[in-house]
């Protein structure tokens, strides 16, 4: 006979879980008691939201399933933003929540919240366990569902008596079989052939690559395909890292704050090969003018994404990697589009990203310096807002899973806890959270966690004393009426010190390199407070609802 | 925009109905009717859902339904040969006397059964296609409909074809 709590821990171990992020409370006491001596490392965060983001950061950095644990009611509710963040970016996490005992379910018992109901629209699947004998199976299924197909968060709600009940554990039949869940991984052969024949004849092809490439570990195949056919590649915010930033075929990011040349290339291409993307409005701008001259091939593991926002000429349902491998097997070489490549080289030369270099402390410079220092390596996590866009634009990413950011939900406060998760996934890497002063204050309590466990995460606050991205919109579209976007100065170095974390404030460009070096060389966590030019903007920019080639703040055409 | 009829096989698990109906709310799809009950497979239920939308919207509905782990099979049977039925119970004001006789006559024409007779009301049970029930409802309105319950449409394919889990 075994308790449910014991079965849970054994189930997690079977799934290869080494680290979980959590916060205790009444109904999870039996689980915490089991964790006390378990060979699983538990990291006590300071807010459950951080547990969910840390699990997410762990998953994105490692490609494995991240796990978080919270008590019922308020604890579970605090996970919600983190679960939604993972859902929007298709990140595999398993969220474990305590629940009131089964005999009290539905009674408005103390700390009861219907968390499986609350998270129904933001989970890939969820379980409310009502019999301890189901637990082993549920754990195995949850991990399977989270990591396969289009990955996503799965929630397991565990009433207290489920953890305390003693049962004969039911041996598991392998493998997992769910008759309602059979993701298509292999692309349809005829569709693949159609795609290849379009690729062979296209004169101005572009690859539009997204987070699906990273999720399916298809970066190698992607670059191979691009090189064989000599096709330029633009990536979404989520796809950054799937092709090295300085690869001659890389066009950088497209969309609202994309490069001018990526957006021009999309607008003029005659064939768009979209892989692991979802034609999000931040990418397409006005959707009717997105790739207006192109035939579109769309490869995605989620059939519901194909044709959702834009009609598709050649849909291919399948895992990006499997489909790309199939394509590579069928074709040796293509290319011979010198005119198109030449045009793109010219755009790149005439329309580079730019910012003013006038001796003031500009955020773009800080990112470039960090990129130079780390040689584009390390794991870079961002918060949300201008800090996120500057990092996406100016950091020279060279590897997949080295850029973690909340793309779909745009969750301020994601970065700091996600960096903690990234550290546990890849402890040998330098991990930086590029933050805004607004976002950092959304999960600033995690200074307690990094201090407690000496997690060597470096925070670089691009401190403009504004909710910068919102202020930028107010400047451009609301007549500079800065309604509730100014933040009074905060002494972040002192706050860090109070938690026992080292820090440094930087006011001029001269100090940037030294400061970054100090942060990197310091053994534990470190907080850098960069007092940047307050009203710096992110450019170029596609105004809401405009076509993506109608950018402001770029070069004259 | 036209009604589409979907026949959906789902795992018979707690929460499956809220998963399905929640999906419709969240994605802004309009359900005209939804009927659900156990079926020939022991652990499954069959839903008949009538959804209104253009072809692209309905395609999204089907794809999104298919993504639910507890949904085993979705078929759009709108264009197929089907038998469609709906059942309604209608409580009509009908004092004993001439109105009651009229109501019973109307019921007769529609092959509706009188299943309850009270001092001031009768209850009619009628089965058929949705248009037939609409028509009956229209005719009875003049007498005063006190209460009306409809099950929503249920459908099966004609002949030996079936909507079954292929998996
Ligand atoms: C949780 C949350 N609340 C509100 C927003 C809306 N929002 C987007 S960017 C932004 C400003 C971010 O300010 P800051 O973190 O200081 O970064 P900056 O833009 O200045 O780099 C806000 C409020 C959000 N994305 N997330």
């Amino acid at each position: 006979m075994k308790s449910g709590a014991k079965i849970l821990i054994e189930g997690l171990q079977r799934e290869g879980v080494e680290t979980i992020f959590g916060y205790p409370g009444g109904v999870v006491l039996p689980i915490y008691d089991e964790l006390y001596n378990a060979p699983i490392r538990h990291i006590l965060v300071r807010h459950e939201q951080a547990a969910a983001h840390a699990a997410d950061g762990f998953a994105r950095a490692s490609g494995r399933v991240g796990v978080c644990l919270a008590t019922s009611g308020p604890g579970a509710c605090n996970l919600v933003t983190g679960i939604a963040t993972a859902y929007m970016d298709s990140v595999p996490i398993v969220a474990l929540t305590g629940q009131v005992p089964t005999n009290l379910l539905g009674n408005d018992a103390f700390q009861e919240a219907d968390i499986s109901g609350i998270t129904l629209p933001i989970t890939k699947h969820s379980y409310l366990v009502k019999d301890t004998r189901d637990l082993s199976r549920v754990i195995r299924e949850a991990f399977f569902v989270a990591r396969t197909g289009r990955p996503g968060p799965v929630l397991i709600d565990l009433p207290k008596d489920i953890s305390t009940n003693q049962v004969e554990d039911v041996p598991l039949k392998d493998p997992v079989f769910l008759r309602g869940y059979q993701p298509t991984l292999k692309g349809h052969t005829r569709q693949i052939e159609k795609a290849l024949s379009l690729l062979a004849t296209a004169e101005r092809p572009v690859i539009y690559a997204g987070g699906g490439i990273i999720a399916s570990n298809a970066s190698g195949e992607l670059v191979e395909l691009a090189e064989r056919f000599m096709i330029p590649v633009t990536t979404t915010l989520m796809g950054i890292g799937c092709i090295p930033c300085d690869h001659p075929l890389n066009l950088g990011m497209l969309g609202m704050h994309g490069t001018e040349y990526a957006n021009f290339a999309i607008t003029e291409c005659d064939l768009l090969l979209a892989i692991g993307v979802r034609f999000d409005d931040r990418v397409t701008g006005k959707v009717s003018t997105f790739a207006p001259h192109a035939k579109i091939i769309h490869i995605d593991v989620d059939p519901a994404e194909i044709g959702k926002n834009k009609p598709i000429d050649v849909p291919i349902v399948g895992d990006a990697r499997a489909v790309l491998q199939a394509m590579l097997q069928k074709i040796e070489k293509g290319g011979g589009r010198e005119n198109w490549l030449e045009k793109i080289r010219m755009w790149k030369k005439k329309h580079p990203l730019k910012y003013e270099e006038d001796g003031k402390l500009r955020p773009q410079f800080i990112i470039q310096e960090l990129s130079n220092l780390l040689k584009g390596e390390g794991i870079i996590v961002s918060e949300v807002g201008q800090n996120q866009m500057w990092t996406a634009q100016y950091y020279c990413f060279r590897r997949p899973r080295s850029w973690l950011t909340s793309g779909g939900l745009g969750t301020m406060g994601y970065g700091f806890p996600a960096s903690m998760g990234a550290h546990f996934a890849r402890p040998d890497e330098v991990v930086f959270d590029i933050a805004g002063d607004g976002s950092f204050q959304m999960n600033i309590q995690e200074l307690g966690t990094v201090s407690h466990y000496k997690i060597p995460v470096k925070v670089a606050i691009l401190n403009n004393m504004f909710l910068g991205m919102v202020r930028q919109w107010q400047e451009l579209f609301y007549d500079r009426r800065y309604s509730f976007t100014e933040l009074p100065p905060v002494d972040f170095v002192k706050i860090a010190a109070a938690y026992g974390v080292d820090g440094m404030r930087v006011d001029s460009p001269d100090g940037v390199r030294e400061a970054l070096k100090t942060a990197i060389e310091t053994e534990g966590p470190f907080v850098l407070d960069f007092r940047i030019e307050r009203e710096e903007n992110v450019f170029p920019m596609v105004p809401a609802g405009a076509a993506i080639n109608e950018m402001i703040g770029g070069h004259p055409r | 925009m036209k009604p589409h009829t979907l026949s959906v096989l789902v795992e018979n698990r707690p929460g499956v109905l809220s998963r399905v109906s929640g999906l419709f709310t969240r994605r802004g799809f309009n359900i005209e009717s939804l009927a659900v009950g156990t079926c020939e497979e022991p652990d499954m239920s069959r839903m008949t859902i009538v959804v209104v939308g253009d072809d692209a919207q309905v395609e999204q509905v089907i794809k999104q339904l298919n993504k639910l782990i507890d949904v085993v099979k979705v078929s759009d049977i709108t264009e197929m040969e089907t038998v469609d039925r709906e059942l309604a119970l209608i409580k009509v004001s009908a004092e004993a006397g001439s109105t009651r006789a009229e109501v019973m006559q109307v019921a007769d024409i529609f092959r509706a059964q009188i299943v309850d007779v009270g001092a001031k009301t009768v209850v009619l049970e009628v089965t058929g296609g949705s248009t037939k029930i609409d028509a009956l409802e229209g005719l009875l309105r003049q007498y005063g409909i006190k209460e009306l319950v409809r099950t929503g449409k249920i459908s099966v394919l004609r002949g030996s074809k079936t909507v079954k889990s292929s998996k």
Side-chain angles (χ1 to χ4, degrees):
Chain A
M1 300 286 267
K2 270 184 215 163
S3 74
K6 178 130 189 110
I7 293 173
L8 172 69
I9 301 301
E10 288 179 0
L12 294 177
Q13 282 182 270
R14 252 198 318 270
E15 297 301 326
V17 176
E18 288 154 8
T19 309
I20 71 178
F21 304 90
Y23 207 91
V27 296
V28 287
L29 274 165
I31 299 173
Y32 271 84
D33 192 58
E34 204 56 56
L35 274 170
Y36 193 61
N37 283 323
I40 287 181
R41 174 169 47 193
H42 174 276
I43 301 297
L44 176 69
V45 293
R46 297 300 183 268
H47 186 302
E48 290 89 349
Q49 183 188 351
H53 290 324
D56 170 315
F58 177 93
R60 292 193 210 216
S62 66
R64 291 156 56 201
V65 179
V67 182
C68 58
L69 166 63
T71 192
S72 66
C77 288
N78 273 345
L79 293 178
V80 168
T81 305
I83 295 172
T85 302
Y87 183 73
M88 287 295 273
D89 290 343
S90 310
V91 179
I93 65 171
V94 168
L96 305 165
T97 51
Q99 183 54 278
V100 302
T102 45
N103 65 324
L104 293 180
L105 274 173
N107 265 319
D108 303 315
F110 178 63
Q111 295 197 324
E112 176 175 9
D114 173 14
I115 195 63
S116 51
I118 289 170
T119 57
L120 213 58
I122 54 166
T123 46
K124 185 170 171 186
H125 195 47
S126 54
Y127 297 86
L128 168 56
V129 184
K130 292 225 176 112
D131 185 338
T132 305
R133 281 167 304 186
D134 292 338
L135 196 48
S136 283
R137 173 185 56 83
V138 164
I139 294 162
R140 161 158 302 187
E141 276 181 22
F143 277 79
F144 176 75
V145 169
R147 73 170 173 259
T148 53
R150 178 178 183 174
V154 177
L155 179 123
I156 307 178
D157 202 17
L158 297 159
K160 187 173 186 180
D161 52 320
I162 296 302
S163 299
T164 50
N165 283 347
Q166 300 273 339
V167 298
E168 264 334 312
D169 195 8
V170 188
L172 288 170
K173 302 188 296 242
D174 321 359
V176 177
F177 174 73
L178 296 161
R179 55 187 165 184
Y181 177 68
Q182 319 270 323
T184 306
L185 301 179
K186 233 180 119 256
H188 195 283
T189 313
R190 272 228 313 284
Q191 294 295 88
I192 289 176
E193 278 162 5
K194 250 195 230 168
L196 285 170
S197 74
L198 284 180
L199 275 178
T201 53
E203 285 169 13
R204 301 183 306 280
V206 170
I207 294 175
Y208 154 36
I213 302 272
I214 313 267
S216 76
N217 300 313
S219 304
E221 287 79 2
L222 174 88
V223 174
E224 177 75 40
L225 184 86
E227 287 175 351
R228 273 200 213 169
F229 279 94
M230 291 304 282
I231 310 175
V233 180
T234 175
T235 59
T236 65
L237 182 69
M238 302 305 299
I240 289 177
C242 69
I243 178 166
C245 70
D246 43 8
H247 192 290
L249 288 170
N250 185 17
L251 297 170
M253 181 169 73
L254 80 167
M256 180 171 276
H257 291 296
T259 62
E260 289 175 84
Y261 37 94
N263 288 350
F264 294 161
I266 291 283
T267 308
E268 295 204 5
C269 71
D270 67 350
L271 181 69
L272 187 66
L273 175 54
I275 315 171
V277 294
R278 55 190 181 88
F279 295 79
D280 178 75
D281 51 276
R282 282 290 190 268
V283 162
T284 61
K286 190 172 158 197
V287 73
S288 59
T289 55
F290 183 75
H293 311 296
K295 282 232 179 320
I296 306 181
I297 303 165
H298 189 181
I299 304 171
D300 205 284
V301 73
D302 180 357
E305 287 303 342
I306 299 183
K308 186 179 82 176
N309 297 336
K310 184 105 188 150
I312 300 301
D313 299 284
V314 184
I316 304 179
V317 179
D319 172 69
R321 186 164 187 207
V323 173
L324 287 175
Q325 281 173 345
M327 289 172 91
L328 287 169
Q329 265 169 24
K330 283 187 199 286
I331 225 88
E332 280 309 307
K333 243 184 165 46
R337 303 176 175 103
E338 233 349 90
N339 289 347
W340 175 231
L341 294 174
E342 182 49 38
K343 190 164 198 182
I344 284 171
R345 276 196 288 272
M346 191 245 335
W347 279 333
K348 273 183 153 179
K349 209 156 146 195
K350 284 199 180 157
H351 299 265
L353 291 170
K354 56 160 187 177
Y355 63 93
E356 233 174 295
E357 286 165 80
D358 54 0
K360 293 183 174 159
L361 182 52
R362 307 235 177 228
Q364 300 91 333
F365 171 73
I366 299 169
I367 306 294
Q368 276 181 334
E369 282 293 277
L370 181 63
S371 187
N372 293 338
L373 264 175
L374 295 179
K375 302 190 176 60
E377 304 275 307
I379 297 178
I380 307 299
V381 190
S382 85
E383 299 290 346
V384 166
Q386 294 181 311
N387 58 84
Q388 178 182 35
M389 291 300 132
W390 286 319
T391 312
Q393 291 178 332
Y394 287 93
Y395 197 89
C396 184
F397 291 97
R398 293 208 166 81
R399 301 171 304 169
R401 300 194 184 280
S402 63
W403 162 238
L404 320 184
T405 196
S406 166
L409 201 66
T411 308
M412 290 172 67
Y414 167 80
F416 188 30
S419 348
M420 306 192 308
H423 165 74
F424 287 103
R426 285 156 65 188
D428 298 335
E429 301 272 353
V430 178
V431 182
F432 258 88
D433 173 35
I434 311 293
D437 49 319
S439 297
F440 185 51
Q441 290 184 79
M442 283 221 175
N443 272 319
I444 195 167
Q445 78 286 342
E446 296 310 309
L447 281 167
T449 312
V450 296
S451 172
H452 181 171
Y453 296 99
K454 309 265 176 298
I455 304 173
V457 163
K458 323 295 176 184
V459 184
I461 308 167
L462 307 178
N463 187 351
N464 47 17
M465 290 176 249
F466 274 118
L467 297 173
M469 187 54 99
V470 182
R471 183 209 57 73
Q472 175 171 341
W473 282 59
Q474 290 172 335
E475 176 187 333
L476 298 174
F477 311 115
Y478 290 86
D479 224 5
R480 298 183 67 104
R481 286 156 57 85
Y482 291 168
S483 179
F484 302 100
T485 43
E486 187 156 10
L487 298 173
V490 174
D491 191 335
F492 288 111
V493 175
K494 260 196 190 152
I495 293 183
Y499 276 101
V501 172
D502 288 336
M504 186 189 289
R505 173 174 156 171
V506 184
D507 295 278
S508 80
D510 317 328
V512 171
R513 207 176 169 86
E514 266 325 294
L516 289 169
K517 266 194 178 152
T518 309
I520 294 166
E521 281 156 17
T522 302
E523 234 170 74
F526 204 90
V527 172
L528 288 162
D529 181 4
F530 291 106
R531 300 297 173 103
I532 62 166
E533 208 31 41
R534 292 194 67 202
E535 297 190 44
E536 186 68 27
N537 285 330
V538 180
F539 284 133
M541 175 178 193
V542 179
I548 58 167
N549 61 342
E550 295 164 4
M551 309 187 80
I552 55 175
H555 301 262
R557 239 192 134 168
Chain B
M1 301 278 270
K2 63 165 189 183
H4 283 246
T5 307
L6 308 181
S7 182
V8 185
L9 263 184
V10 300
E11 295 284 355
N12 205 347
R13 292 212 187 106
V16 65
L17 186 57
S18 45
R19 284 179 205 280
V20 169
S21 62
L23 185 113
F24 279 82
T25 326
R26 175 163 97 84
R27 303 243 171 214
F29 304 138
N30 293 319
I31 301 188
E32 201 168 87
S33 72
L34 188 158
V36 55
T38 51
C39 64
E40 75 285 353
E41 302 254 8
D43 312 323
M44 290 202 219
S45 292
R46 175 170 271 113
M47 294 182 176
T48 307
I49 304 176
V50 180
V51 54
V52 181
D54 58 34
D55 288 352
Q57 283 168 328
V58 174
E59 190 186 324
Q60 257 301 302
V61 171
I62 294 171
K63 285 173 166 178
Q64 293 295 344
L65 281 171
N66 266 319
K67 276 172 73 167
L68 296 177
I69 312 285
D70 287 343
V71 168
V72 177
K73 172 96 184 167
V74 186
S75 296
D76 185 347
I77 56 172
T78 315
E79 304 295 333
M80 301 186 191
E81 292 283 315
T82 54
V83 180
D84 306 324
R85 288 290 181 275
E86 181 172 3
L87 183 138
L89 294 172
I90 311 171
K91 185 179 293 176
V92 191
S93 300
E95 302 262 353
S98 63
T99 23
R100 181 164 295 184
E102 274 180 48
V103 167
M104 289 170 103
Q105 237 176 3
V106 172
D108 211 33
I109 295 164
F110 281 81
R111 297 202 193 138
Q113 309 283 322
I114 307 284
V115 290
D116 181 61
V117 180
K120 295 182 174 169
T121 56
V122 294
V123 176
L124 275 62
E125 176 200 309
V126 62
T127 329
S130 302
T131 35
K132 170 177 164 187
I133 296 175
D134 291 345
L136 176 61
E137 186 189 332
L139 273 177
L140 292 174
R141 199 164 287 141
Q142 55 181 311
Y143 306 104
I145 295 178
K146 293 286 200 196
E147 211 177 329
L148 174 93
V149 204
R150 297 172 68 150
T151 56
K153 179 164 96 167
I154 54 172
S155 307
V156 284
L157 299 179
R158 286 186 184 274
S160 53
K161 271 199 237 141
T162 53
V163 174
K164 269 231 159 35
S165 92
S166 48
K167 295 157 180 173

